[in-house]
Amino acid sequence: MDKREHLIEIATNLFSERGFENTPLSAICETANVSKGLIFHHFKSKNGLLREIFMKTTKLIVEINTTKSENLSPNEHLTELLESFFVQLKADKLFFQFNLNVIVQPSTREVLNDLIKERSSFILRETKTIFDKIDAPNSLVKSHMFIAELDGIALSYLSIYEDFPLKQIKEHIIKKYSKQ
Amino acid sequence: MDKREHLIEIATNLFSERGFENTPLSAICETANVSKGLIFHHFKSKNGLLREIFMKTTKLIVEINTTKSENLSPNEHLTELLESFFVQLKADKLFFQFNLNVIVQPSTREVLNDLIKERSSFILRETKTIFDKIDAPNSLVKSHMFIAELDGIALSYLSIYEDFPLKQIKEHIIKKYSKQ
Amino acid sequence: MDKREHLIEIATNLFSERGFENTPLSAICETANVSKGLIFHHFKSKNGLLREIFMKTTKLIVEINTTKSENLSPNEHLTELLESFFVQLKADKLFFQFNLNVIVQPSTREVLNDLIKERSSFILRETKTIFDKIDAPNSLVKSHMFIAELDGIALSYLSIYEDFPLKQIKEHIIKKYSKQ
Amino acid sequence: MDKREHLIEIATNLFSERGFENTPLSAICETANVSKGLIFHHFKSKNGLLREIFMKTTKLIVEINTTKSENLSPNEHLTELLESFFVQLKADKLFFQFNLNVIVQPSTREVLNDLIKERSSFILRETKTIFDKIDAPNSLVKSHMFIAELDGIALSYLSIYEDFPLKQIKEHIIKKYSKQ
DNA sequence: GATGAATGAGTATTCATTCAT
DNA sequence: AATGAATGAATACTCATTCAT
């Protein structure tokens, strides 16, 4: 059992549940049954731990997007992206919330600035590659709209509307992008 | 000079700039040139102050939406809403960020739970009134999509993409909703 | 309705229930439905209020003891004192506790120093008058023992032993002093 | 030099002198020359420190009472108890006062509730064991009277009568219990 | 790699008291 | 007599971080 990996896992869960600022390292240590010193030994600081977690997530996102089969039509590709987005959104509510969290909070935002830029420009690039095949002249605007819609749906679903009609929204948006 | 009102104003600014959790009451007091005790005299607690600010914003939103002239076609109404949204988004960046912030952060989210519900259901109701006139059977889904798109745009613009093409997005979305 | 008297009554109750140090003036004001300023107007300070309450109690004790019929034998007198002590102890638990409280607590003890001396020497004097008739040479020691026993019983009953056998103790001690 | 033990010692002294509620942690830290954080590291809270001190005292009381030689007559045993009580009362005035204090004060009383019960039932049990040998049918009442008398004497001596005739009271009570 | 004692700066909150009205 | 805005000093407690072992 790799304690380093174990710590990352537990910290991710706690940060997701309570938010980064409201999760003292002591809580992580107690849950993981390790000493405080060990966190600093492995990650230098609490911010270091946060960056490590954020980087891991980005790596995951990149992997998912690059291993996707390339012999799909652009519309099929969009549909596939949407499908996996809605599956994940439902499965990993807390984790999505954590990502929203650290991006929106000024203090964490500052710590993660470079990593957020890196991740978001990757996502924009990937999306734009698809829209280039559909409507090249407007691909940038359409990509931004596509991303904003998904973020907005996540926000509404996770933090605003308890009875958000996720299923119907999914059908609506998939229908919209499958024939564009 | 009403110190109570003054405190709300200054706190709103500071919370927007630094985030709620990262703004100590001492900072507010120093800026407003009052004692710490006064905040507790007027607002009971830091959370009390937060609620007061959030309620004031809701009141503003309600006012704006209810005084709107009623002799517009639904599409004109949407256009008008969009116009004012983009104007405000650009003018009050920090304030939008603050609202995103407290909604997404678990700790503040909990404190404001009832107020967030109240505000968000008001917005949904108002939006649905418009879409009822355009496409009654799908008005709920379309309202949710409309709101999610705007929230997503705000999120992308404020917290993710430094070079977000706000102007073109605005044109794109106004065009879309003006002929729906 | 005399607000001054009303305040004393409410403060006595609250001090008895929570202890003097743990009863903020704000609690008294809320319960009495008056402003904070009024307490300072009437009593100068929180300590002033405490002294007022303590003095009132002493006055009561003095009254009870001086109006007592004087045509009793010393042993009958002791029995009568004991009877009224046990009746009061059972009826006014909280109030006894409050008196113990302020006497034992160093901070309040200091504030009430002169009043405590005054009251306790009155009680000793009265008790000694009785024991002088029973056993003059040892009257001082016996008076002190008598007072200490009652205080000790109150202490045990109120603060130490939940199942203190008050009734049997009463019988025991009355029997003891009725034939001394 | 064990800082934990050192802290307990210093806190005991200060609590005895000023009372628990009137001793800020800062006073303890300054006297002990340690940081505030250390108290919370070792005792979790101010109340935790109080409990630790109270427990230590109970342990001491238990030790003293259980190591007592068992080949004494019950009356000799009582005399011995009384002798050591009066010696300690004179030597450790402040410490006795502290114990009275925390038992009588509602707030500390609540914190120590279980520990007070534990200690007082131990004392009652031990006392009753002696009186069982003297007057079995009335042993409970006599034990309670014995304890109440000692508590009452402590109270009078420490908090009420400046010129309490401790020596004569001691002789009086020892004489009384040596021939019972 | 791993522990845990120790630090110190920071933070919300309490509360008696004052004073203008 | 009565109010309540305003103060400011005090206080328990939190928490990331350091460091000797």
Side-chain angles (χ1 to χ4, degrees):
Chain A
M1 40 162 143
D2 189 345
K3 286 195 179 179
R4 197 176 187 279
E5 222 48 40
H6 190 209
L7 271 170
I8 291 181
E9 201 184 307
I10 281 173
T12 307
N13 286 336
L14 289 177
F15 288 165
S16 300
E17 281 169 27
R18 317 182 184 181
F20 176 75
E21 312 262 11
N22 286 300
T23 306
L25 291 181
S26 61
I28 299 173
C29 293
E30 276 166 34
T31 313
N33 244 13
V34 299
S35 69
K36 272 184 190 171
L38 196 58
I39 289 192
F40 289 85
H41 181 70
H42 282 309
F43 308 104
K44 285 271 195 194
S45 70
K46 194 187 178 188
N47 285 343
L49 175 56
L50 175 62
R51 285 179 62 86
E52 190 94 10
I53 291 175
F54 196 87
M55 285 169 70
K56 242 191 129 179
T57 311
T58 301
K59 208 175 277 179
L60 222 85
I61 293 175
V62 172
E63 270 173 30
I64 290 173
N65 275 69
T66 48
T67 57
K68 274 290 181 285
S69 50
E70 290 282 330
N71 46 3
L72 293 170
S73 81
N75 285 331
E76 282 168 343
H77 204 156
L78 286 178
T79 305
E80 204 189 61
L81 278 179
L82 288 168
E83 290 279 4
S84 82
F85 168 79
F86 281 97
V87 166
Q88 279 222 349
L89 179 57
K90 232 185 158 177
D92 266 335
K93 278 177 102 159
L94 279 176
F95 189 66
F96 266 75
Q97 206 149 27
F98 163 70
N99 276 282
L100 261 172
N101 225 287
V102 293
I103 287 173
V104 163
Q105 187 78 2
S107 52
T108 47
R109 160 89 229 193
E110 205 183 331
V111 172
L112 299 171
N113 209 13
D114 54 328
L115 301 179
I116 291 174
K117 268 187 199 161
E118 196 187 308
R119 184 199 285 186
S120 54
S121 51
F122 169 81
I123 291 174
L124 181 60
R125 216 181 311 128
E126 288 294 306
T127 311
K128 193 162 169 297
T129 313
I130 303 174
F131 278 100
D132 278 340
K133 296 175 193 154
I134 297 176
D135 178 10
N138 298 313
S139 65
L140 184 70
V141 169
K142 288 203 169 169
S143 301
H144 268 302
M145 272 307 303
F146 182 77
I147 293 167
E149 281 175 57
L150 296 197
D151 284 345
I153 286 167
L155 191 62
S156 276
Y157 174 59
L158 295 170
S159 303
I160 306 182
Y161 292 102
E162 270 179 9
D163 44 5
F164 189 78
L166 192 63
K167 213 179 144 187
Q168 292 152 51
I169 291 283
K170 179 184 168 182
E171 285 165 11
H172 177 88
I173 202 171
I174 284 187
K175 200 166 138 199
K176 174 171 143 195
Y177 281 109
S178 64
K179 61 182 176 187
Q180 199 165 29
Chain B
M1 37 158 142
D2 188 345
K3 287 197 179 178
R4 197 176 187 278
E5 221 50 41
H6 191 209
L7 270 170
I8 291 180
E9 203 184 307
I10 283 174
T12 307
N13 286 337
L14 290 177
F15 288 164
S16 298
E17 280 169 29
R18 316 182 182 183
F20 175 74
E21 313 261 10
N22 287 300
T23 306
L25 292 180
S26 61
I28 299 173
C29 294
E30 278 165 32
T31 313
N33 240 17
V34 297
S35 68
K36 272 185 197 170
L38 194 57
I39 291 192
F40 291 86
H41 179 66
H42 283 307
F43 309 104
K44 288 270 191 196
S45 69
K46 194 185 178 189
N47 284 343
L49 175 56
L50 175 61
R51 286 179 62 87
E52 190 95 10
I53 291 176
F54 196 87
M55 284 170 71
K56 240 190 133 179
T57 312
T58 300
K59 209 175 275 182
L60 223 84
I61 293 175
V62 171
E63 271 172 29
I64 291 173
N65 275 70
T66 47
T67 57
K68 275 284 182 287
S69 52
E70 290 285 328
N71 46 3
L72 293 171
S73 81
N75 285 332
E76 283 168 343
H77 204 156
L78 287 178
T79 306
E80 203 189 62
L81 278 180
L82 289 168
E83 290 280 5
S84 82
F85 168 79
F86 280 97
V87 167
Q88 280 222 345
L89 179 58
K90 231 184 160 178
D92 267 335
K93 275 177 102 158
L94 280 178
F95 189 67
F96 267 76
Q97 205 149 28
F98 162 71
N99 276 282
L100 262 172
N101 223 287
V102 293
I103 286 173
V104 164
Q105 187 78 3
S107 51
T108 47
R109 159 90 228 192
E110 205 183 329
V111 171
L112 299 172
N113 209 12
D114 54 328
L115 302 180
I116 292 175
K117 267 186 200 163
E118 197 186 307
R119 183 199 286 187
S120 54
S121 52
F122 169 81
I123 292 175
L124 181 59
R125 216 180 314 128
E126 288 294 305
T127 312
K128 195 163 167 296
T129 311
I130 303 174
F131 278 100
D132 278 340
K133 296 176 193 153
I134 298 176
D135 178 9
N138 298 312
S139 65
L140 184 69
V141 169
K142 289 203 168 168
S143 301
H144 269 301
M145 273 307 303
F146 183 78
I147 294 166
E149 281 175 56
L150 297 197
D151 283 345
I153 287 166
L155 191 62
S156 276
Y157 174 59
L158 295 170
S159 303
I160 308 182
Y161 293 102
E162 271 179 6
D163 44 5
F164 189 78
L166 192 63
K167 212 178 145 188
Q168 291 150 50
I169 289 283
K170 179 182 168 182
E171 286 164 10
H172 177 87
I173 202 171
I174 284 187
K175 199 167 136 199
K176 175 169 142 197
Y177 280 108
S178 64
K179 62 182 176 188
Q180 203 166 26
Chain C
M1 40 160 144
D2 189 346
K3 285 196 180 179
R4 197 176 187 279
E5 223 47 42
H6 190 211
L7 271 170
I8 290 181
E9 200 185 309
I10 281 173
T12 306
N13 286 336
L14 290 177
F15 288 165
S16 299
E17 281 168 30
R18 317 182 183 181
F20 175 75
E21 312 262 9
N22 286 300
T23 306
L25 291 181
S26 61
I28 298 174
C29 294
E30 277 166 33
T31 313
N33 244 13
V34 298
S35 69
K36 272 185 190 170
L38 195 58
I39 290 192
F40 289 85
H41 180 70
H42 282 308
F43 309 104
K44 283 271 195 195
S45 70
K46 195 188 178 188
N47 285 342
L49 176 56
L50 175 61
R51 285 178 62 86
E52 190 95 9
I53 291 176
F54 196 86
M55 285 168 71
K56 238 190 133 180
T57 312
T58 301
K59 208 174 277 181
L60 222 83
I61 292 175
V62 172
E63 269 172 31
I64 290 173
N65 274 69
T66 48
T67 58
K68 274 288 180 286
S69 51
E70 289 284 328
N71 46 3
L72 293 171
S73 80
N75 285 332
E76 282 168 344
H77 204 156
L78 288 178
T79 305
E80 204 190 61
L81 279 179
L82 289 168
E83 289 281 3
S84 83
F85 168 79
F86 281 97
V87 167
Q88 280 221 348
L89 179 58
K90 232 185 157 176
D92 267 335
K93 278 177 101 159
L94 279 177
F95 188 66
F96 267 74
Q97 206 149 26
F98 163 69
N99 277 282
L100 262 171
N101 224 286
V102 293
I103 287 174
V104 164
Q105 188 77 2
S107 50
T108 48
R109 160 88 229 194
E110 206 184 329
V111 172
L112 299 172
N113 210 14
D114 54 329
L115 301 180
I116 292 175
K117 267 188 201 161
E118 196 185 308
R119 183 199 288 185
S120 54
S121 51
F122 169 80
I123 291 175
L124 182 60
R125 216 180 313 128
E126 289 294 305
T127 312
K128 194 161 167 296
T129 312
I130 303 175
F131 279 100
D132 278 340
K133 296 176 195 155
I134 297 176
D135 178 11
N138 299 312
S139 65
L140 184 70
V141 169
K142 288 203 170 167
S143 300
H144 268 303
M145 272 306 304
F146 182 78
I147 293 166
E149 281 175 56
L150 296 197
D151 283 346
I153 286 165
L155 192 62
S156 275
Y157 174 60
L158 295 170
S159 302
I160 308 183
Y161 292 102
E162 270 179 7
D163 44 6
F164 189 78
L166 192 63
K167 213 179 143 188
Q168 292 150 49
I169 290 283
K170 178 183 168 182
E171 286 164 12
H172 178 88
I173 202 170
I174 284 187
K175 200 167 135 198
K176 175 169 142 196
Y177 280 108
S178 65
K179 63 182 174 186
Q180 202 164 27
Chain D
M1 39 158 145
D2 188 345
K3 288 197 181 179
R4 197 178 187 279
E5 221 51 40
H6 190 208
L7 270 170
I8 291 180
E9 203 184 306
I10 283 174
T12 306
N13 286 336
L14 291 177
F15 288 165
S16 299
E17 281 168 29
R18 316 183 184 182
F20 176 75
E21 312 261 10
N22 287 300
T23 308
L25 292 181
S26 60
I28 300 173
C29 294
E30 278 166 30
T31 313
N33 240 17
V34 297
S35 68
K36 272 184 199 170
L38 195 57
I39 290 192
F40 292 87
H41 180 64
H42 283 308
F43 308 105
K44 288 272 191 194
S45 70
K46 195 187 178 187
N47 284 343
L49 175 55
L50 175 61
R51 285 179 62 85
E52 190 94 10
I53 291 176
F54 196 86
M55 284 169 72
K56 241 190 132 179
T57 312
T58 300
K59 210 176 274 180
L60 223 83
I61 293 176
V62 172
E63 271 172 31
I64 290 173
N65 275 70
T66 49
T67 57
K68 274 285 181 286
S69 52
E70 290 284 327
N71 45 3
L72 293 170
S73 80
N75 285 332
E76 284 168 342
H77 204 154
L78 287 177
T79 306
E80 203 190 61
L81 278 178
L82 289 167
E83 291 279 5
S84 82
F85 168 78
F86 281 96
V87 167
Q88 279 222 347
L89 179 58
K90 233 184 157 176
D92 266 335
K93 277 176 102 158
L94 280 177
F95 188 67
F96 266 74
Q97 206 150 28
F98 162 70
N99 276 282
L100 262 172
N101 224 287
V102 293
I103 286 175
V104 164
Q105 187 79 3
S107 51
T108 48
R109 159 89 228 192
E110 204 185 329
V111 171
L112 298 172
N113 209 13
D114 54 328
L115 302 179
I116 292 175
K117 268 187 200 163
E118 197 185 307
R119 184 199 284 187
S120 54
S121 52
F122 170 80
I123 292 174
L124 181 61
R125 218 180 310 128
E126 288 294 306
T127 311
K128 196 164 166 295
T129 311
I130 303 173
F131 279 100
D132 278 340
K133 295 176 196 152
I134 296 175
D135 178 10
N138 299 312
S139 65
L140 184 69
V141 169
K142 289 203 168 168
S143 301
H144 269 302
M145 274 306 305
F146 183 78
I147 293 166
E149 281 175 59
L150 297 196
D151 284 346
I153 287 166
L155 192 63
S156 275
Y157 174 60
L158 296 170
S159 304
I160 307 183
Y161 292 103
E162 271 180 8
D163 44 5
F164 189 78
L166 192 62
K167 213 178 143 189
Q168 291 150 51
I169 289 283
K170 179 183 167 183
E171 285 164 11
H172 177 87
I173 203 171
I174 284 187
K175 199 166 135 200
K176 174 170 142 195
Y177 280 109
S178 65
K179 61 181 177 189
Q180 200 165 30

